[in-house]
Short mmCIF file of all heavy atoms in Angstrom, two decimals:
data_model
loop_
_atom_site.label_atom_id
_atom_site.label_comp_id
_atom_site.label_asym_id
_atom_site.label_seq_id
_atom_site.Cartn_x
_atom_site.Cartn_y
_atom_site.Cartn_z
N PRO Z 964 -15.25 26.86 38.44
CA PRO Z 964 -15.50 25.50 38.12
C PRO Z 964 -16.35 24.87 39.19
O PRO Z 964 -17.17 24.00 38.97
CB PRO Z 964 -14.10 24.83 38.17
CG PRO Z 964 -13.07 26.00 38.33
CD PRO Z 964 -13.85 27.27 38.48
N GLU Z 965 -16.15 25.35 40.56
CA GLU Z 965 -17.08 24.85 41.55
C GLU Z 965 -18.56 25.14 41.42
O GLU Z 965 -19.40 24.26 41.64
CB GLU Z 965 -16.51 25.43 42.87
CG GLU Z 965 -15.10 25.01 43.25
CD GLU Z 965 -14.12 25.82 42.50
OE1 GLU Z 965 -14.34 26.96 42.07
OE2 GLU Z 965 -12.92 25.38 42.65
N ALA Z 966 -18.80 26.30 40.94
CA ALA Z 966 -20.16 26.74 40.70
C ALA Z 966 -20.78 25.94 39.52
O ALA Z 966 -21.99 25.44 39.62
CB ALA Z 966 -20.32 28.18 40.36
N PHE Z 967 -20.02 25.68 38.52
CA PHE Z 967 -20.41 24.87 37.33
C PHE Z 967 -20.67 23.48 37.83
O PHE Z 967 -21.71 22.84 37.40
CB PHE Z 967 -19.30 24.91 36.20
CG PHE Z 967 -19.77 24.28 34.92
CD1 PHE Z 967 -20.54 24.92 34.02
CD2 PHE Z 967 -19.38 23.02 34.68
CE1 PHE Z 967 -20.89 24.26 32.84
CE2 PHE Z 967 -19.75 22.33 33.45
CZ PHE Z 967 -20.54 23.00 32.54
N ARG Z 968 -19.84 22.91 38.59
CA ARG Z 968 -20.00 21.48 39.01
C ARG Z 968 -21.30 21.46 39.82
O ARG Z 968 -22.08 20.46 39.60
CB ARG Z 968 -18.79 21.17 39.89
CG ARG Z 968 -18.95 19.65 40.36
CD ARG Z 968 -17.78 19.38 41.45
NE ARG Z 968 -16.43 19.67 40.87
CZ ARG Z 968 -15.68 18.93 40.00
NH1 ARG Z 968 -16.23 17.89 39.52
NH2 ARG Z 968 -14.51 19.44 39.70
N HIS Z 969 -21.51 22.35 40.69
CA HIS Z 969 -22.67 22.32 41.53
C HIS Z 969 -23.97 22.49 40.59
O HIS Z 969 -24.89 21.73 40.91
CB HIS Z 969 -22.60 23.49 42.63
CG HIS Z 969 -23.79 23.52 43.56
ND1 HIS Z 969 -24.10 22.58 44.38
CD2 HIS Z 969 -24.84 24.34 43.54
CE1 HIS Z 969 -25.23 22.84 45.00
NE2 HIS Z 969 -25.70 24.02 44.47
N ALA Z 970 -23.91 23.41 39.81
CA ALA Z 970 -25.07 23.61 38.93
C ALA Z 970 -25.44 22.39 38.04
O ALA Z 970 -26.60 22.08 37.97
CB ALA Z 970 -24.87 24.88 38.01
N VAL Z 971 -24.46 21.78 37.48
CA VAL Z 971 -24.55 20.65 36.67
C VAL Z 971 -25.12 19.48 37.54
O VAL Z 971 -25.98 18.81 37.06
CB VAL Z 971 -23.33 20.20 36.01
CG1 VAL Z 971 -23.43 18.81 35.31
CG2 VAL Z 971 -23.00 21.24 34.86
N GLU Z 972 -24.63 19.19 38.73
CA GLU Z 972 -24.98 18.15 39.57
C GLU Z 972 -26.48 18.31 39.91
O GLU Z 972 -27.23 17.42 39.88
CB GLU Z 972 -24.15 18.04 40.86
CG GLU Z 972 -22.75 17.49 40.64
CD GLU Z 972 -21.80 17.57 41.75
OE1 GLU Z 972 -22.18 18.18 42.77
OE2 GLU Z 972 -20.72 17.13 41.68
N ALA Z 973 -26.85 19.62 40.25
CA ALA Z 973 -28.23 19.85 40.53
C ALA Z 973 -29.12 19.53 39.35
O ALA Z 973 -30.23 19.07 39.49
CB ALA Z 973 -28.44 21.28 41.10
N PHE Z 974 -28.69 20.09 38.19
CA PHE Z 974 -29.52 19.85 36.98
C PHE Z 974 -29.63 18.36 36.74
O PHE Z 974 -30.86 17.96 36.34
CB PHE Z 974 -28.76 20.63 35.82
CG PHE Z 974 -29.30 20.47 34.49
CD1 PHE Z 974 -30.48 21.02 34.18
CD2 PHE Z 974 -28.73 19.72 33.49
CE1 PHE Z 974 -31.14 20.96 32.87
CE2 PHE Z 974 -29.24 19.66 32.24
CZ PHE Z 974 -30.45 20.20 31.93
N LEU Z 975 -28.58 17.59 36.74
CA LEU Z 975 -28.66 16.18 36.46
C LEU Z 975 -29.51 15.47 37.41
O LEU Z 975 -30.17 14.52 37.03
CB LEU Z 975 -27.28 15.57 36.29
CG LEU Z 975 -26.25 16.17 35.27
CD1 LEU Z 975 -24.95 15.49 35.29
CD2 LEU Z 975 -26.92 15.94 33.85
N ALA Z 976 -29.49 15.84 38.67
CA ALA Z 976 -30.29 15.18 39.70
C ALA Z 976 -31.73 15.21 39.49
O ALA Z 976 -32.48 14.37 39.96
CB ALA Z 976 -29.91 15.79 41.09
N GLU Z 977 -32.18 16.26 38.80
CA GLU Z 977 -33.62 16.43 38.53
C GLU Z 977 -34.18 15.69 37.17
O GLU Z 977 -35.28 15.72 36.94
CB GLU Z 977 -33.94 17.87 38.40
CG GLU Z 977 -33.73 18.63 39.63
CD GLU Z 977 -34.01 20.19 39.49
OE1 GLU Z 977 -34.47 20.61 38.48
OE2 GLU Z 977 -33.88 20.84 40.52
N ARG Z 978 -33.26 14.95 36.57
CA ARG Z 978 -33.58 14.41 35.19
C ARG Z 978 -33.49 12.92 35.24
O ARG Z 978 -32.72 12.28 35.86
CB ARG Z 978 -32.60 14.93 34.22
CG ARG Z 978 -32.59 16.45 34.02
CD ARG Z 978 -31.81 16.90 32.98
NE ARG Z 978 -32.22 16.31 31.67
CZ ARG Z 978 -32.72 16.88 30.63
NH1 ARG Z 978 -32.99 18.19 30.62
NH2 ARG Z 978 -33.02 16.31 29.48
N ASP Z 979 -34.54 12.38 34.47
CA ASP Z 979 -34.59 10.91 34.45
C ASP Z 979 -33.74 10.45 33.41
O ASP Z 979 -33.40 9.16 33.32
CB ASP Z 979 -36.04 10.45 34.03
CG ASP Z 979 -37.06 10.70 35.13
OD1 ASP Z 979 -36.69 10.80 36.34
OD2 ASP Z 979 -38.26 10.99 34.82
N ASP Z 980 -33.17 11.22 32.44
CA ASP Z 980 -32.27 10.74 31.38
C ASP Z 980 -30.83 11.01 31.65
O ASP Z 980 -30.03 10.88 30.73
CB ASP Z 980 -32.71 11.43 30.12
CG ASP Z 980 -32.59 12.92 30.12
OD1 ASP Z 980 -32.56 13.50 31.20
OD2 ASP Z 980 -32.38 13.56 29.06
N ALA Z 981 -30.49 11.34 32.91
CA ALA Z 981 -29.10 11.67 33.14
C ALA Z 981 -28.21 10.33 33.35
O ALA Z 981 -28.68 9.42 33.92
CB ALA Z 981 -28.99 12.53 34.44
N THR Z 982 -26.99 10.56 33.02
CA THR Z 982 -25.98 9.44 33.32
C THR Z 982 -24.82 10.14 34.04
O THR Z 982 -24.31 11.16 33.57
CB THR Z 982 -25.47 8.81 32.03
OG1 THR Z 982 -26.53 8.25 31.21
CG2 THR Z 982 -24.40 7.75 32.35
N LEU Z 983 -24.40 9.61 35.14
CA LEU Z 983 -23.35 10.10 35.91
C LEU Z 983 -22.10 9.17 35.72
O LEU Z 983 -22.24 8.07 35.23
CB LEU Z 983 -23.72 10.01 37.40
CG LEU Z 983 -24.94 10.92 37.73
CD1 LEU Z 983 -25.33 10.72 39.22
CD2 LEU Z 983 -24.81 12.30 37.39
N PRO Z 984 -20.98 9.75 36.02
CA PRO Z 984 -19.66 9.00 35.81
C PRO Z 984 -19.69 7.59 36.48
O PRO Z 984 -19.19 6.53 36.00
CB PRO Z 984 -18.60 9.88 36.41
CG PRO Z 984 -19.11 11.27 36.16
CD PRO Z 984 -20.51 11.19 36.42
N LYS Z 985 -20.36 7.54 37.70
CA LYS Z 985 -20.47 6.15 38.37
C LYS Z 985 -21.20 5.14 37.58
O LYS Z 985 -21.03 3.98 37.73
CB LYS Z 985 -21.05 6.35 39.72
CG LYS Z 985 -22.59 6.81 39.68
CD LYS Z 985 -23.07 6.88 41.15
CE LYS Z 985 -24.55 7.17 41.05
NZ LYS Z 985 -25.48 6.09 40.45
N ASP Z 986 -22.06 5.65 36.55
CA ASP Z 986 -22.84 4.79 35.73
C ASP Z 986 -22.11 4.36 34.52
O ASP Z 986 -22.47 3.38 33.77
CB ASP Z 986 -24.18 5.43 35.40
CG ASP Z 986 -24.97 5.84 36.57
OD1 ASP Z 986 -25.07 5.09 37.50
OD2 ASP Z 986 -25.52 7.01 36.51
N GLY Z 987 -20.96 5.03 34.20
CA GLY Z 987 -20.23 4.65 33.04
C GLY Z 987 -20.69 5.53 31.87
O GLY Z 987 -21.77 6.20 31.75
N TRP Z 988 -19.85 5.61 30.84
CA TRP Z 988 -20.05 6.36 29.58
C TRP Z 988 -21.26 5.88 28.85
O TRP Z 988 -21.36 4.64 28.61
CB TRP Z 988 -18.86 6.28 28.63
CG TRP Z 988 -18.88 7.09 27.44
CD1 TRP Z 988 -18.97 6.60 26.18
CD2 TRP Z 988 -18.85 8.62 27.29
NE1 TRP Z 988 -18.99 7.65 25.29
CE2 TRP Z 988 -18.94 8.94 25.92
CE3 TRP Z 988 -18.72 9.56 28.27
CZ2 TRP Z 988 -18.91 10.18 25.45
CZ3 TRP Z 988 -18.71 10.88 27.78
CH2 TRP Z 988 -18.77 11.10 26.47
N PRO Z 989 -22.25 6.70 28.60
CA PRO Z 989 -23.52 6.22 27.99
C PRO Z 989 -23.67 6.04 26.53
O PRO Z 989 -24.72 5.40 26.11
CB PRO Z 989 -24.44 7.42 28.42
CG PRO Z 989 -23.70 8.66 28.40
CD PRO Z 989 -22.22 8.18 28.81
N TRP Z 990 -22.69 6.53 25.74
CA TRP Z 990 -22.89 6.48 24.31
C TRP Z 990 -22.04 5.40 23.60
O TRP Z 990 -21.04 5.01 24.20
CB TRP Z 990 -22.43 7.83 23.74
CG TRP Z 990 -23.03 9.03 24.47
CD1 TRP Z 990 -22.24 9.96 24.94
CD2 TRP Z 990 -24.35 9.33 24.85
NE1 TRP Z 990 -23.00 11.01 25.68
CE2 TRP Z 990 -24.30 10.60 25.59
CE3 TRP Z 990 -25.51 8.71 24.77
CZ2 TRP Z 990 -25.47 11.11 26.14
CZ3 TRP Z 990 -26.74 9.28 25.29
CH2 TRP Z 990 -26.58 10.48 25.97
N PRO Z 991 -22.51 4.97 22.46
CA PRO Z 991 -21.68 3.94 21.76
C PRO Z 991 -20.49 4.59 21.10
O PRO Z 991 -19.63 3.76 20.53
CB PRO Z 991 -22.65 3.43 20.65
CG PRO Z 991 -23.72 4.57 20.51
CD PRO Z 991 -23.76 5.28 21.79
N TRP Z 992 -20.29 5.84 21.16
CA TRP Z 992 -19.03 6.47 20.56
C TRP Z 992 -18.00 6.80 21.80
O TRP Z 992 -18.53 6.78 22.84
CB TRP Z 992 -19.32 7.76 19.78
CG TRP Z 992 -20.32 8.69 20.50
CD1 TRP Z 992 -20.05 9.74 21.35
CD2 TRP Z 992 -21.81 8.70 20.24
NE1 TRP Z 992 -21.18 10.40 21.67
CE2 TRP Z 992 -22.29 9.72 21.05
CE3 TRP Z 992 -22.60 7.99 19.54
CZ2 TRP Z 992 -23.65 10.04 21.15
CZ3 TRP Z 992 -23.97 8.26 19.64
CH2 TRP Z 992 -24.46 9.34 20.41
N GLU Z 993 -16.83 6.97 21.46
CA GLU Z 993 -15.76 7.16 22.42
C GLU Z 993 -15.65 8.46 23.14
O GLU Z 993 -15.13 8.50 24.26
CB GLU Z 993 -14.46 6.74 21.80
CG GLU Z 993 -14.44 5.41 21.35
CD GLU Z 993 -13.01 4.97 20.77
OE1 GLU Z 993 -12.08 5.68 21.05
OE2 GLU Z 993 -12.97 4.00 20.07
N ASP Z 994 -16.09 9.61 22.50
CA ASP Z 994 -15.88 10.81 23.09
C ASP Z 994 -17.07 11.73 22.64
O ASP Z 994 -17.90 11.35 21.88
CB ASP Z 994 -14.55 11.42 22.80
CG ASP Z 994 -14.28 11.57 21.34
OD1 ASP Z 994 -15.19 11.80 20.61
OD2 ASP Z 994 -13.15 11.42 20.95
N SER Z 995 -16.99 13.01 23.13
CA SER Z 995 -18.05 13.99 22.83
C SER Z 995 -18.00 14.61 21.38
O SER Z 995 -18.84 15.40 21.01
CB SER Z 995 -18.01 15.08 23.85
OG SER Z 995 -18.37 14.61 25.12
N GLN Z 996 -17.11 14.23 20.61
CA GLN Z 996 -17.11 14.73 19.19
C GLN Z 996 -18.35 14.40 18.40
O GLN Z 996 -18.72 15.14 17.56
CB GLN Z 996 -15.87 14.31 18.43
CG GLN Z 996 -14.57 14.83 19.02
CD GLN Z 996 -13.32 14.38 18.25
OE1 GLN Z 996 -13.50 13.80 17.07
NE2 GLN Z 996 -12.19 14.73 18.78
N THR Z 997 -18.97 13.36 18.75
CA THR Z 997 -20.33 12.95 18.08
C THR Z 997 -21.55 13.33 18.81
O THR Z 997 -22.60 13.33 18.31
CB THR Z 997 -20.28 11.39 17.86
OG1 THR Z 997 -19.11 11.02 17.12
CG2 THR Z 997 -21.40 11.01 17.05
N THR Z 998 -21.34 13.78 20.11
CA THR Z 998 -22.41 14.15 20.90
C THR Z 998 -22.97 15.42 20.43
O THR Z 998 -22.18 16.28 19.94
CB THR Z 998 -22.11 14.29 22.48
OG1 THR Z 998 -21.44 13.05 22.87
CG2 THR Z 998 -23.33 14.64 23.20
N ASP Z 999 -24.31 15.73 20.50
CA ASP Z 999 -24.95 16.94 19.87
C ASP Z 999 -24.41 18.15 20.55
O ASP Z 999 -24.11 19.19 19.86
CB ASP Z 999 -26.43 16.88 19.96
CG ASP Z 999 -27.05 15.66 19.32
OD1 ASP Z 999 -26.81 15.55 18.06
OD2 ASP Z 999 -27.67 14.88 19.98
N TYR Z 1000 -24.30 18.20 21.83
CA TYR Z 1000 -23.78 19.34 22.63
C TYR Z 1000 -22.77 18.88 23.61
O TYR Z 1000 -22.92 17.84 24.30
CB TYR Z 1000 -25.00 20.10 23.43
CG TYR Z 1000 -25.78 20.85 22.44
CD1 TYR Z 1000 -26.91 20.15 21.78
CD2 TYR Z 1000 -25.52 22.14 22.12
CE1 TYR Z 1000 -27.70 20.84 20.95
CE2 TYR Z 1000 -26.39 22.88 21.25
CZ TYR Z 1000 -27.46 22.25 20.67
OH TYR Z 1000 -28.26 22.90 19.79
N ALA Z 1001 -21.81 19.74 23.85
CA ALA Z 1001 -20.81 19.50 24.96
C ALA Z 1001 -20.64 20.80 25.70
O ALA Z 1001 -20.18 21.77 25.12
CB ALA Z 1001 -19.46 19.07 24.42
N TRP Z 1002 -21.10 20.81 26.93
CA TRP Z 1002 -21.02 21.95 27.81
C TRP Z 1002 -19.88 21.85 28.73
O TRP Z 1002 -19.65 20.83 29.27
CB TRP Z 1002 -22.35 22.08 28.58
CG TRP Z 1002 -23.65 22.22 27.78
CD1 TRP Z 1002 -24.34 21.33 27.30
CD2 TRP Z 1002 -24.13 23.58 27.30
NE1 TRP Z 1002 -25.40 21.90 26.52
CE2 TRP Z 1002 -25.30 23.20 26.53
CE3 TRP Z 1002 -23.77 24.90 27.46
CZ2 TRP Z 1002 -26.03 24.27 25.94
CZ3 TRP Z 1002 -24.58 25.84 26.90
CH2 TRP Z 1002 -25.67 25.54 26.12
N ALA Z 1003 -19.01 22.89 28.75
CA ALA Z 1003 -17.83 22.78 29.52
C ALA Z 1003 -17.56 24.12 30.22
O ALA Z 1003 -17.79 25.23 29.65
CB ALA Z 1003 -16.58 22.44 28.64
N PHE Z 1004 -17.00 24.01 31.47
CA PHE Z 1004 -16.40 25.27 32.07
C PHE Z 1004 -14.94 25.23 31.76
O PHE Z 1004 -14.25 24.25 32.09
CB PHE Z 1004 -16.70 25.25 33.58
CG PHE Z 1004 -16.17 26.56 34.21
CD1 PHE Z 1004 -17.00 27.68 34.26
CD2 PHE Z 1004 -14.91 26.65 34.66
CE1 PHE Z 1004 -16.49 28.86 34.72
CE2 PHE Z 1004 -14.40 27.78 35.15
CZ PHE Z 1004 -15.29 28.97 35.18
#
């Protein structure tokens, strides 16, 4: 989980379209069931 967290944080830091938890949930739906992809460790 630590490696996954670090890899995701590094990946998101390089993107202009990233949303972090401090920014709030980005989608008009309530959970990831409607999101195209959900990547999880």
Side-chain angles (χ1 to χ4, degrees):
E965 296 81 16
F967 186 82
R968 180 186 313 279
H969 178 73
V971 169
E972 287 173 355
F974 178 69
L975 296 179
E977 296 178 3
R978 297 188 57 115
D979 294 332
D980 64 333
T982 301
L983 302 174
K985 69 178 180 68
D986 303 318
W988 184 250
W990 317 126
W992 46 88
E993 294 182 23
D994 58 34
S995 293
Q996 290 184 11
T997 306
T998 306
D999 301 303
Y1000 289 85
W1002 296 92
F1004 184 87

